[in-house]
Amino acid sequence: MIKNNSNENILVINSNDNIELEFESDLLLFDNNKKEMLIKKEKKIKMLNISIVFAILFFGEVARGIIIPTINYYSILVGGSATTLGMVISAFSAGRFLATIVLGYFSKFDTYKNIFNISMVLCMIGSLWYSLSYIDQGNQFIGQLSLVISRFVLGFGAGTLSTSRSFLADITIPSERTTWIALSSALQFLGFAVSPIIGSLLSYIPPFSIVGVIKIDSITLPGWFLTFQNFILLLMIIFYFQNPTLNQLASNNNNMINSSSDLNLNKKNNKSGSNNNSDNEQDDFDNFEIESSSLKSSGDVGSTTQLLLPQQQQQQQSIYRILYNNKRIFINLIIFIILNFFIRAILGIYETLGSTFYSKLDTGINSSTNSGYFFGSMGFLGIVLLLIISWLCKKELLHDYWILCFGNLIITIGCFATMVHQLSWIRFVIGYICIWGIGFTLAQTVVVSMFSKILSNTIGNASQGTLIGIITASGSLGRVIGPLFSGLLYNENDLLPLFSFSFALSLILLFSSILMIPKDILKIKYLNHNDKNNNNQYNEENYNIIK
């Protein structure tokens, strides 16, 4: 500021000020561009991490079904019987069941990357062990034991489901979490569906040997394929996979906490509103709680649980009290444990002996190849049904209960069709289409979601993670025990005792779904549509119990 001859003030702008303003503007623009680049980079890393986790889940299911066309021949090669075959199939499920608990527990204390690396190394060891199990040095017991242990180790390494779901919960925001977890489940189903076909395609590779001892043929190729595939996955995890950062974990949890604050604010503002509005707000808060509960058991950073609300930290402690005070929930829990256990036990019986039955009916030289295509087609039939079920449920055209009952009925029909002393082609095809292709897909798709809906209409979404975990564990045990019984009861001269046992299980399954579940379904429908006041009072009482 200077004065002219008339003593008037004149504003003079220094050129340096312009330079400083332009510099600050350029710096701000640079910071914005840098932030955009960082956001794009984080999204790219996030998508790469999710892709690697999806590949782990997909090939974990491939490891289960890739041996279906040839496992019967491998069992015979090492001098095994049907009992050995049942133990081999059961060992994989047992390993996965144990790993789901162990790896899920250690995911609270160690990084995801370390857990996935250990899993892939175990998968490589199990696959390589499987490929060399025929080298028994003249002792058949060693060969049979090696075959069983190799599948257990491979199953343990492939049991990353809880860790993978935990990772997806940590790296995604609540609004997109359900979509990613649903996609992971679809990939698992796809992996099991196509795996027998992969096993059949490997049989086209001409057999050869290395150093005269290491044989590579249709029987051992599934093991070599899995060894190479897991080695590639291990390299991808080492060089490309990154653990979630503290910023990602805090950002995701802050989104949930902010949504919870908004819900609480809405509750205060609408406290004098209608009962219907109160119900909707309670459902929103419950949905928030179940989303955040999945984060509680996850992560390589301990700060995740510190960001959770006090109500969420009390859910695990109140689960026993909920079951004790609410007999209805306890009865439903027992029912669905029975349902999920028997559904998967029956599938385990027919899965174990499928290749054995097929090889006896198809005496051609390509029976092992054809069996893979047959069982693969059952898987693709299941995928088509899965898409139809998803559409029907989304449009609310059909209740889950009727899908469950129809699936169990089809399983019972399939078991009844095979109740003979010796299978024929017609009975074999009808039985496996009903059990493997249709019944199992329908029943197992809705059993967990149906239980979740029952919980939502009684205690809300609180503690659902623990209860659904119990249901899932019962299904895993069914996949372990079913193959064991199939091996013990199998007699190639008389199949009736085995199929009578599976038919008895299917009857228990069918009557459990028909006689016990409809009472609760009708109550829920009545409470939701015809007696809202009683429903509000019931939810409030149970909410106070949880609280």
Side-chain angles (χ1 to χ4, degrees):
M1 187 77 66
I2 60 174
K3 294 184 178 180
N4 59 7
N5 296 331
S6 304
N7 290 328
E8 295 177 349
N9 293 332
I10 301 177
L11 178 64
V12 178
I13 301 176
N14 194 338
S15 60
N16 291 333
D17 294 336
N18 287 330
I19 295 175
E20 290 179 0
L21 290 173
E22 291 178 0
F23 177 75
E24 290 179 0
S25 177
D26 292 340
L27 185 61
L28 182 61
L29 181 63
F30 175 77
D31 289 339
N32 291 334
N33 293 334
K34 188 176 180 181
K35 287 181 180 178
E36 290 180 2
M37 291 177 62
L38 289 175
I39 292 173
K40 290 180 179 180
K41 185 178 179 181
E42 285 188 359
K43 287 184 177 180
K44 184 177 179 180
I45 293 173
K46 175 182 175 180
M47 292 305 302
L48 182 60
N49 286 342
I50 292 176
S51 299
I52 292 174
V53 171
F54 278 2
I56 293 172
L57 292 173
F58 176 82
F59 285 107
E61 288 299 321
V62 169
R64 179 194 292 278
I66 195 173
I67 66 168
I68 287 177
T70 57
I71 186 57
N72 177 46
Y73 300 100
Y74 207 160
S75 179
I76 296 173
L77 179 64
V78 296
S81 60
T83 303
T84 306
L85 181 61
M87 292 176 65
V88 171
I89 301 297
S90 177
F92 182 87
S93 298
R96 289 194 68 169
F97 173 71
L98 182 62
T100 300
I101 300 173
V102 175
L103 295 181
Y105 174 77
F106 279 104
S107 65
K108 300 178 182 179
F109 310 104
D110 205 348
T111 63
Y112 290 115
K113 188 169 186 175
N114 288 342
I115 293 174
F116 287 138
N117 284 335
I118 293 172
S119 298
M120 291 304 101
V121 170
L122 289 175
C123 286
M124 290 175 59
I125 293 174
S127 302
L128 187 61
W129 197 343
Y130 177 86
S131 301
L132 302 175
S133 293
Y134 65 89
I135 306 177
D136 53 18
Q137 299 182 3
N139 189 335
Q140 292 184 343
F141 175 76
I142 294 178
Q144 297 169 24
L145 185 62
S146 296
L147 199 60
V148 172
I149 295 177
S150 67
R151 291 296 293 175
F152 178 84
V153 174
L154 178 58
F156 191 94
T160 56
L161 179 59
S162 60
T163 306
S164 299
R165 293 279 175 85
S166 176
F167 172 79
L168 291 175
D170 272 351
I171 203 173
T172 57
I173 59 176
S175 60
E176 64 182 13
R177 188 167 303 149
T178 301
T179 302
W180 287 116
I181 291 180
L183 284 174
S184 69
S185 299
L187 274 175
Q188 285 182 274
F189 197 92
L190 179 64
F192 181 69
V194 304
S195 55
I197 298 177
I198 297 175
S200 293
L201 292 175
L202 291 174
S203 64
Y204 287 105
I205 299 177
F208 60 95
S209 60
I210 301 176
V211 199
V213 178
I214 301 177
K215 299 178 181 180
I216 300 178
D217 52 23
S218 60
I219 294 177
T220 60
L221 266 171
W224 292 111
F225 173 84
L226 292 174
T227 302
F228 177 75
Q229 165 256 305
N230 285 304
F231 177 70
I232 297 298
L233 270 180
L234 178 64
L235 293 180
M236 292 179 65
I237 294 170
I238 292 175
F239 292 107
Y240 297 106
F241 184 84
Q242 295 184 20
N243 290 304
T245 62
L246 279 171
N247 290 333
Q248 288 176 325
L249 297 175
S251 175
N252 292 337
N253 282 276
N254 284 334
N255 286 331
M256 292 189 297
I257 292 174
N258 290 335
S259 63
S260 175
S261 301
D262 294 338
L263 288 171
N264 291 333
L265 182 60
N266 290 334
K267 287 181 182 180
K268 292 179 180 179
N269 293 335
N270 300 322
K271 199 168 183 180
S272 59
S274 65
N275 291 333
N276 187 32
N277 289 337
S278 299
D279 288 341
N280 292 335
E281 291 160 8
Q282 180 62 47
D283 290 340
D284 291 338
F285 184 76
D286 290 337
N287 288 332
F288 162 74
E289 288 187 337
I290 191 172
E291 292 289 356
S292 58
S293 65
S294 60
L295 284 174
K296 187 174 179 180
S297 61
S298 62
D300 57 307
V301 183
S303 60
T304 307
T305 55
Q306 296 176 2
L307 294 172
L308 299 176
L309 297 179
Q311 294 94 326
Q312 301 156 11
Q313 297 174 358
Q314 296 173 2
Q315 290 175 10
Q316 296 291 343
Q317 300 175 1
S318 62
I319 181 63
Y320 301 107
R321 187 179 175 187
I322 292 172
L323 292 175
Y324 178 79
N325 288 282
N326 196 324
K327 299 300 186 293
R328 179 179 172 184
I329 295 300
F330 180 76
I331 293 173
N332 279 317
L333 180 64
I334 299 301
I335 292 172
F336 279 91
I337 285 175
I338 293 172
L339 290 175
N340 207 26
F341 177 84
F342 283 123
I343 288 171
R344 295 183 180 271
I346 293 171
L347 176 69
I349 292 173
Y350 286 85
E351 175 190 12
T352 301
L353 298 172
S355 61
T356 302
F357 296 147
Y358 194 96
S359 63
K360 289 185 177 298
L361 295 170
D362 184 1
T363 57
I365 58 175
N366 295 323
S367 63
S368 63
T369 302
N370 296 334
S371 68
Y373 296 143
F374 174 79
F375 294 116
S377 65
M378 296 298 100
F380 278 106
L381 175 61
I383 292 176
V384 173
L385 285 176
L386 188 63
L387 295 175
I388 295 175
I389 293 170
S390 300
W391 183 80
L392 290 174
C393 293
K394 187 176 181 179
K395 297 294 183 179
E396 296 184 353
L397 299 176
L398 193 61
H399 197 282
D400 290 351
Y401 167 70
W402 302 115
I403 298 175
L404 178 65
C405 286
F406 183 71
N408 292 338
L409 177 62
I410 295 297
I411 290 176
T412 305
I413 293 173
C415 292
F416 180 76
T418 58
M419 274 190 62
V420 291
H421 295 283
Q422 292 295 331
L423 275 178
S424 62
W425 263 116
I426 295 177
R427 287 182 176 272
F428 172 79
V429 173
I430 292 175
Y432 271 83
I433 288 178
C434 289
I435 297 169
W436 192 318
I438 301 176
F440 172 73
T441 304
L442 294 175
Q444 68 93 27
T445 301
V446 300
V447 66
V448 175
S449 62
M450 189 173 169
F451 180 67
S452 177
K453 290 178 181 179
I454 291 177
L455 290 180
S456 297
N457 285 275
T458 51
I459 64 171
N461 289 332
S463 301
Q464 279 204 27
T466 303
L467 295 175
I468 291 177
I470 296 173
I471 300 294
T472 306
S474 67
S476 300
L477 285 177
R479 209 69 179 266
V480 173
I481 295 176
L484 292 177
F485 274 97
S486 67
L488 293 173
L489 296 175
Y490 174 75
N491 182 355
E492 62 179 350
N493 298 320
D494 188 4
L495 301 176
L496 188 59
L498 171 64
F499 292 136
S500 298
F501 175 74
S502 61
F503 180 66
L505 296 183
S506 68
L507 287 177
I508 297 174
L509 179 66
L510 181 61
F511 285 119
S512 297
S513 58
I514 291 177
L515 298 178
M516 301 177 74
I517 296 180
K519 298 177 182 179
D520 291 328
I521 297 297
L522 292 175
K523 283 182 181 179
I524 292 169
K525 186 175 181 180
Y526 177 77
L527 288 172
N528 285 341
H529 299 285
N530 300 329
D531 198 358
K532 289 184 178 180
N533 292 330
N534 291 339
N535 190 23
N536 293 336
Q537 182 179 359
Y538 184 73
N539 284 336
E540 184 178 354
E541 290 175 358
N542 284 281
Y543 179 75
N544 291 332
I545 291 175
I546 298 171
K547 196 172 181 181

